[in-house]
């Protein structure tokens, strides 16, 4: 469902996302997929209703120069 959403709604034919791996982590699905040569990690709810294209580890500091830091 996530790959279909990424391909149709986000990439809109300009590139193609392909699934690499799905695992469960912290109550969510961790999804790895490729767009071209780039591997991307994102998350989705287990019911498939929510897609989180990016995440921040709140236990680590943001790199210097990051907005808000």
């Amino acid at each position: 469902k996530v790959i279909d959403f990424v391909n149709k709604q986000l990439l809109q034919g300009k590139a193609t996302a392909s699934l690499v791996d799905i695992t469960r982590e912290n109550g969510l699905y961790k999804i790895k997929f490729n767009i071209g040569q780039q591997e991307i990690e994102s998350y989705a709810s287990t019911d498939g209703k929510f897609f989180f294209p990016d995440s921040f580890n709140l236990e680590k500091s943001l790199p210097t120069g990051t907005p808000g830091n």
Side-chain angles (χ1 to χ4, degrees):
K1 194 171 185 177
V2 168
I3 299 300
D4 188 48
F5 176 82
V6 169
N7 283 324
K8 289 181 179 177
Q9 300 295 321
L10 301 179
L11 298 176
Q12 299 178 348
K14 296 177 185 166
T16 301
S18 58
L19 182 64
V20 173
D21 189 37
I22 298 177
T23 56
R24 285 187 83 142
E25 184 176 293
N26 298 316
L28 297 169
Y29 287 122
K30 181 178 182 179
I31 303 160
K32 292 183 182 181
F33 58 94
N34 288 335
I35 298 175
Q37 300 297 316
Q38 183 178 9
E39 184 172 280
I40 297 169
E41 288 185 357
S42 62
Y43 293 85
S45 60
T46 55
D47 63 5
K49 292 182 179 181
F50 296 96
F51 170 55
F52 309 98
D54 202 355
S55 65
F56 294 94
N57 183 337
L58 301 178
E59 295 180 354
K60 294 183 180 180
S61 296
L62 291 173
T64 304
T66 303
N69 190 5

